Amino acid sequence: MSKSLFSLTALTIFLSLWNSLLIETLKSCPLECICLSQTQVLCNTGGLHHIPLRHLPANVEHLSLTKNHFPIIKTDAFAGLRALKKLSLDGNNITKIKQFAFRGLPRLKELSIQYTPLKAIARFAFAGLQNLSTILLTHNQIATIEAYAFAGTSNVKLILLTNNPLLRIESFAFSSLTQVGHLLLPAGIRVIEPDAFYGMFTVGLLKLAYMDLEHIKAFTFRGLSHVLLLTIQESDLGVINSEAFAGLTQVETLQLFNNKIDIIEALDFNETAGIKYLKFHGNHFLQTPPSEAISLDGVYHLELVDNYFPCGCQLQYLLESPFATKSFNSTRNLLEKNYCISPIELNGHLMADVEYNAPCQEHLLQGTLESTAALRCDRTIKTIPIVIVCISIKIVHLTVKFL
């Protein structure tokens, strides 16, 4: 066979194969889409009202379905696309994602659902995704995360929920979500139910910022374990209830930065907690808990820096608590690195500069006048420091002494 004839034959075979591939691609490509190849399909602004599952190439790896009209993502909506690695549903009018919507996508690595009117993450909506590395859920209208929304999903490097009007995280919302790199939640959260993070295991960063809570409820963090960094910052935390951190275990760093804290009912980190670093920086405490309500036996290193505490009679509580007795230098660090929030004449003063004569009269008479003080300061405690009660007690004491 001559060289020219061989070349012609090879060219004919190549063109035939290319033509067959092109015909197959056209046959398996929805009219509203552009199939750049069998593995990359773009269906953007095509006016689709349903997902063209039957017409998509079975081996598609990158699928973009942005700016269409999919109000509901149904169960098993992408069944059969087992090669799919990247899926974008941005800009659709999605209002509901049904349970197990993304089941049957074992190779899916990146899922993006942004700029939609989605109001809630329903039960099991993102369940069972074993190899997903990124879930982008920003700029939606998500107000609630329901129980078991991410159950069984693992190996996620990033779950991004910022820029949503999130108000409520239900119990078990992040249950059984494991091997998570970063979970970043939006500002404005008002309710976190007990056990919201139960069963969440091995987490790099869990960030809770700019919240507006009435309470951190008992057992909010129960079942959350093996966390590199749990940060609670720039928030109004209201009342930290007793056992708020009960059941939180094996945390490299737990930090509370720049929060307003009305009352700590109790702070109990027992021997099983395993908190390596507990850091309080820049917080404003309106009331100090009784010294016996604070336990730091499960904390290895404590940092108290640039916080503001009541420096009236409640200073006694601080000096008797583990905040001052945790280590050899704890008292010195407490007084030299933190400030007074009340009484008003001491606001902003370094605690070390406050003349302290213990015990003050409130501390001696607390048991007798506790009910009266609670009645007078029930709701005003958030705005008027309890030192008013202490001053009242001092006046009564001086009057009795004078008489």
XYZ file of all heavy atoms in Angstrom, residues 93-150:
465
model
N -35.131 29.711 40.474
C -36.170 30.098 41.431
C -36.515 28.934 42.356
O -37.681 28.596 42.589
C -37.425 30.598 40.710
C -38.044 29.542 39.800
O -37.345 28.653 39.336
N -39.348 29.656 39.548
N -35.483 28.305 42.895
C -35.651 27.135 43.759
C -36.262 27.547 45.093
O -35.730 28.414 45.794
C -34.300 26.434 43.989
C -33.720 25.945 42.667
C -34.458 25.263 44.956
C -32.279 25.476 42.767
N -37.363 26.928 45.469
C -37.999 27.191 46.761
C -37.929 25.993 47.689
O -38.125 26.135 48.895
C -39.476 27.597 46.578
O -40.160 26.555 45.864
C -39.585 28.892 45.796
N -37.643 24.810 47.135
C -37.579 23.613 47.980
C -36.654 22.579 47.364
O -36.665 22.347 46.160
C -38.972 23.004 48.152
C -39.013 21.849 49.150
C -40.431 21.395 49.425
C -40.450 20.302 50.499
N -41.832 19.870 50.820
N -35.844 21.992 48.237
C -35.014 20.850 47.849
C -35.507 19.653 48.644
O -35.440 19.650 49.874
C -33.522 21.112 48.134
C -33.039 22.328 47.339
C -32.681 19.885 47.783
C -31.618 22.745 47.673
N -36.015 18.647 47.968
C -36.585 17.497 48.657
C -35.481 16.563 49.160
O -34.321 16.657 48.745
C -37.554 16.751 47.744
C -38.829 17.539 47.453
C -39.912 16.664 46.853
C -41.235 17.420 46.741
N -42.314 16.559 46.212
N -35.855 15.680 50.074
C -34.878 14.786 50.683
C -34.211 13.886 49.640
O -34.846 13.446 48.689
C -35.527 13.939 51.767
C -36.666 13.065 51.326
C -37.321 12.351 52.495
O -37.100 12.702 53.648
N -38.119 11.335 52.209
N -32.925 13.696 49.843
C -32.095 12.869 48.973
C -32.132 13.333 47.515
O -32.074 12.524 46.590
C -32.517 11.400 49.067
C -32.442 10.840 50.461
C -33.604 10.589 51.168
C -31.226 10.608 51.066
C -33.556 10.091 52.461
C -31.162 10.106 52.360
C -32.326 9.847 53.064
N -32.188 14.657 47.336
C -32.250 15.217 45.979
C -31.013 14.869 45.164
O -31.089 14.719 43.937
C -32.428 16.729 46.049
N -29.865 14.723 45.836
C -28.614 14.522 45.107
C -28.062 13.103 45.314
O -26.869 12.871 45.149
C -27.596 15.572 45.552
C -28.115 16.971 45.387
C -28.632 17.667 46.481
C -28.135 17.588 44.146
C -29.142 18.952 46.334
C -28.640 18.865 43.986
C -29.153 19.552 45.091
N -28.932 12.200 45.639
C -28.522 10.808 45.832
C -28.093 10.196 44.494
O -28.613 10.535 43.447
C -29.690 10.011 46.423
C -29.357 8.565 46.772
C -30.428 7.970 47.656
N -31.776 8.131 47.109
C -32.881 7.794 47.792
N -32.784 7.327 49.021
N -34.070 7.962 47.235
N -27.130 9.301 44.569
C -26.671 8.624 43.361
C -25.616 9.382 42.594
O -25.416 9.113 41.403
N -24.912 10.309 43.274
C -23.832 11.076 42.633
C -22.534 10.824 43.397
O -22.019 11.687 44.107
C -24.176 12.566 42.621
C -25.498 12.963 41.944
C -25.741 14.461 42.078
C -25.491 12.544 40.476
N -21.950 9.643 43.250
C -20.800 9.260 44.073
C -19.527 10.045 43.795
O -18.627 10.073 44.631
C -20.609 7.776 43.737
C -21.158 7.630 42.350
C -22.317 8.577 42.294
N -19.446 10.694 42.629
C -18.225 11.422 42.279
C -18.382 12.940 42.397
O -17.452 13.682 42.092
C -17.786 11.053 40.852
C -17.365 9.601 40.703
C -16.975 9.284 39.260
N -16.519 7.911 39.114
C -17.314 6.867 38.963
N -18.637 7.063 38.917
N -16.832 5.643 38.856
N -19.538 13.395 42.857
C -19.782 14.829 42.927
C -18.824 15.494 43.925
O -18.733 15.095 45.080
C -21.228 15.099 43.351
C -21.690 16.561 43.261
C -21.660 17.052 41.821
C -23.085 16.717 43.846
N -18.103 16.513 43.457
C -17.123 17.212 44.277
C -17.576 18.618 44.664
O -17.281 19.094 45.752
C -15.788 17.310 43.527
C -15.086 15.989 43.320
C -14.595 15.397 44.631
C -13.799 14.140 44.421
N -13.354 13.551 45.708
N -18.278 19.302 43.763
C -18.671 20.692 44.030
C -20.135 20.906 43.669
O -20.568 20.577 42.557
C -17.791 21.660 43.245
C -18.113 23.131 43.518
C -17.179 24.096 42.811
O -15.976 23.738 42.655
O -17.627 25.176 42.407
N -20.870 21.466 44.630
C -22.286 21.754 44.437
C -22.539 23.214 44.784
O -22.218 23.666 45.890
C -23.138 20.839 45.319
C -24.643 21.087 45.339
C -25.236 20.953 43.941
C -25.326 20.123 46.312
N -23.104 23.956 43.848
C -23.354 25.380 44.056
C -24.838 25.691 43.847
O -25.385 25.440 42.769
C -22.505 26.215 43.090
O -22.740 27.600 43.291
N -25.462 26.216 44.907
C -26.851 26.682 44.841
C -26.877 28.065 45.473
O -26.966 28.210 46.697
C -27.814 25.723 45.574
C -27.687 24.304 45.017
C -29.260 26.220 45.451
C -28.485 23.275 45.787
N -26.754 29.094 44.661
C -26.630 30.463 45.153
C -27.603 31.377 44.394
O -28.003 31.087 43.279
C -25.191 30.955 44.968
C -24.149 30.061 45.644
C -22.734 30.569 45.449
O -22.234 31.384 46.223
N -22.077 30.082 44.402
N -27.967 32.472 45.055
C -28.848 33.475 44.452
C -30.200 32.857 44.052
O -30.649 32.977 42.915
C -28.175 34.139 43.246
C -26.901 34.858 43.603
C -25.661 34.227 43.427
C -26.928 36.147 44.138
C -24.485 34.882 43.774
C -25.752 36.799 44.484
C -24.542 36.172 44.305
O -23.380 36.805 44.654
N -30.818 32.183 45.014
C -32.144 31.598 44.810
C -33.056 32.034 45.958
O -32.568 32.500 46.994
C -32.094 30.059 44.785
O -32.014 29.571 46.135
C -30.914 29.556 43.974
N -34.381 31.842 45.828
C -35.296 32.162 46.928
C -35.480 31.022 47.929
O -36.458 31.012 48.684
C -36.606 32.477 46.201
C -36.563 31.664 44.973
C -35.113 31.585 44.572
N -34.575 30.075 47.956
C -34.664 28.936 48.866
C -34.726 29.422 50.319
O -33.835 30.129 50.780
C -33.453 28.026 48.673
C -33.410 26.756 49.522
C -34.536 25.805 49.136
C -32.037 26.073 49.379
N -35.780 29.006 51.063
C -36.008 29.521 52.414
C -35.586 28.571 53.522
O -35.459 28.994 54.672
C -37.492 29.884 52.584
C -37.933 31.060 51.725
C -39.381 31.426 51.987
C -39.793 32.636 51.150
N -41.208 33.018 51.392
N -35.417 27.312 53.213
C -35.052 26.344 54.250
C -34.253 25.210 53.640
O -34.438 24.856 52.469
C -36.306 25.791 54.928
N -33.358 24.654 54.464
C -32.684 23.414 54.084
C -33.441 22.303 54.782
O -33.380 22.155 56.009
C -31.201 23.432 54.493
C -30.478 24.602 53.822
C -30.534 22.116 54.081
C -29.019 24.713 54.184
N -34.186 21.536 54.002
C -35.102 20.544 54.552
C -34.350 19.290 55.012
O -33.176 19.080 54.699
C -36.145 20.174 53.502
N -35.041 18.473 55.771
C -34.477 17.208 56.238
C -33.912 16.388 55.081
O -34.580 16.215 54.063
C -35.553 16.373 56.943
C -35.948 16.888 58.312
C -37.024 16.023 58.915
N -37.256 16.388 60.311
C -37.209 15.542 61.331
N -36.955 14.267 61.104
N -37.439 15.957 62.562
N -32.702 15.923 55.264
C -32.025 15.017 54.323
C -31.816 15.618 52.929
O -31.527 14.880 51.983
C -32.800 13.694 54.194
C -32.991 12.975 55.498
C -34.242 12.929 56.100
C -31.924 12.368 56.140
C -34.442 12.279 57.312
C -32.110 11.715 57.350
C -33.369 11.676 57.936
N -31.924 16.949 52.811
C -31.736 17.575 51.495
C -30.346 17.300 50.936
O -30.184 17.054 49.735
C -31.983 19.079 51.595
N -29.340 17.340 51.804
C -27.961 17.106 51.359
C -27.383 15.860 52.034
O -26.200 15.807 52.351
C -27.097 18.329 51.675
C -27.527 19.569 50.939
C -28.270 20.548 51.579
C -27.216 19.751 49.604
C -28.678 21.695 50.909
C -27.624 20.882 48.922
C -28.354 21.864 49.571
N -28.214 14.872 52.227
C -27.791 13.657 52.931
C -27.034 12.711 52.019
O -27.286 12.626 50.819
C -29.015 12.951 53.509
N -26.068 12.021 52.637
C -25.414 10.900 51.962
C -24.431 11.238 50.873
O -24.104 10.387 50.052
N -23.922 12.462 50.864
C -22.928 12.841 49.851
C -21.536 12.533 50.410
O -21.020 13.258 51.251
C -23.083 14.326 49.505
C -24.424 14.689 48.852
C -24.605 16.191 48.778
C -24.533 14.083 47.471
N -20.926 11.483 49.895
C -19.729 10.946 50.524
C -18.424 11.619 50.114
O -17.469 11.619 50.873
C -19.633 9.446 50.228
C -20.749 8.637 50.850
C -20.742 8.701 52.372
O -19.690 8.617 52.996
N -21.904 8.879 52.976
N -18.363 12.167 48.927
C -17.090 12.696 48.440
C -17.155 14.168 48.049
O -16.267 14.678 47.383
C -16.617 11.868 47.238
C -16.309 10.442 47.633
O -15.466 10.197 48.493
N -17.000 9.494 47.027
N -18.206 14.834 48.462
C -18.377 16.241 48.114
C -17.377 17.094 48.882
O -17.254 16.984 50.102
C -19.804 16.666 48.460
C -20.316 17.983 47.876
C -20.364 17.904 46.363
C -21.699 18.291 48.417
N -16.648 17.944 48.194
C -15.646 18.774 48.862
C -16.144 20.185 49.140
O -15.697 20.830 50.074
C -14.364 18.840 48.022
O -14.625 19.437 46.759
N -17.107 20.687 48.349
C -17.570 22.069 48.498
C -19.073 22.155 48.299
O -19.609 21.654 47.308
C -16.883 22.998 47.475
O -15.465 22.892 47.608
C -17.286 24.450 47.716
N -19.747 22.791 49.268
C -21.165 23.120 49.136
C -21.309 24.621 49.297
O -21.043 25.170 50.371
C -22.040 22.403 50.182
C -21.825 20.893 50.141
C -23.521 22.727 49.954
C -22.615 20.138 51.192
N -21.706 25.308 48.235
C -21.862 26.755 48.254
C -23.358 27.091 48.305
O -24.093 26.812 47.359
C -21.211 27.371 47.015
C -19.723 27.071 46.805
C -19.235 27.696 45.513
C -18.894 27.555 47.987
N -23.771 27.705 49.411
C -25.191 28.019 49.619
C -25.377 29.482 50.011
O -26.253 29.823 50.802
C -25.766 27.104 50.717
C -25.782 25.606 50.401
C -26.101 24.794 51.646
C -26.789 25.296 49.296
N -24.581 30.365 49.467
C -24.641 31.773 49.835
C -25.709 32.513 49.024
O -26.168 32.051 47.984
C -23.280 32.460 49.607
O -23.019 32.558 48.196
C -22.159 31.671 50.261
N -26.100 33.675 49.551
C -27.007 34.595 48.851
C -28.343 33.944 48.474
O -28.880 34.169 47.396
C -26.340 35.174 47.600
C -25.146 36.021 47.902
N -23.865 35.504 47.929
C -25.040 37.331 48.202
C -23.017 36.468 48.224
N -23.694 37.593 48.400
N -28.856 33.132 49.382
C -30.213 32.617 49.247
C -31.090 33.285 50.304
O -30.698 34.284 50.892
C -30.212 31.092 49.397
C -29.396 30.403 48.311
O -29.690 30.535 47.129
N -28.366 29.666 48.705
N -32.256 32.719 50.570
C -33.151 33.247 51.596
C -33.344 32.232 52.723
O -34.398 32.184 53.366
C -34.505 33.607 50.965
C -34.452 34.692 49.907
C -33.908 35.994 50.468
O -34.329 36.452 51.539
N -32.974 36.610 49.758
N -32.313 31.467 53.003
C -32.402 30.388 53.986
C -32.569 30.965 55.392
O -31.703 31.673 55.898
C -31.150 29.497 53.925
C -31.039 28.844 52.545
C -31.196 28.432 55.020
C -29.711 28.168 52.280
N -33.703 30.640 56.022
C -33.998 31.102 57.379
C -33.929 29.974 58.399
O -33.798 30.227 59.596
C -35.378 31.763 57.423
N -34.009 28.731 57.938
C -34.037 27.575 58.845
C -33.212 26.431 58.265
O -33.263 26.165 57.061
C -35.484 27.079 59.055
O -36.294 28.142 59.534
C -35.528 25.924 60.052
N -32.471 25.777 59.146
C -31.813 24.523 58.788
C -32.484 23.437 59.618
O -32.404 23.439 60.850
C -30.302 24.566 59.054
C -29.650 25.701 58.248
C -29.658 23.226 58.672
C -28.174 25.879 58.528
N -33.163 22.527 58.952
C -33.942 21.504 59.641
C -33.061 20.333 60.080
O -31.908 20.200 59.671
C -35.067 21.007 58.730
C -36.075 22.088 58.366
C -37.206 21.573 57.477
O -37.247 20.344 57.213
O -38.043 22.396 57.054
N -33.635 19.499 60.921
C -32.918 18.347 61.457
C -32.444 17.423 60.344
O -33.151 17.208 59.352
C -33.825 17.578 62.419
N -31.226 16.910 60.509
C -30.639 15.893 59.621
C -30.479 16.381 58.177
O -30.447 15.569 57.243
C -31.479 14.607 59.638
C -31.700 14.063 61.031
C -32.939 14.189 61.654
C -30.659 13.462 61.736
C -33.148 13.713 62.947
C -30.858 12.987 63.024
C -32.106 13.116 63.628
O -32.303 12.654 64.909
N -30.332 17.675 57.997
C -30.201 18.225 56.639
C -28.982 17.680 55.909
O -29.004 17.512 54.689
C -30.134 19.746 56.710
N -27.897 17.389 56.666
C -26.653 16.922 56.044
C -26.283 15.509 56.507
O -25.122 15.122 56.429
C -25.511 17.875 56.391
C -25.702 19.284 55.884
C -26.358 20.230 56.657
C -25.235 19.661 54.641
C -26.535 21.538 56.207
C -25.403 20.953 54.172
C -26.054 21.895 54.959
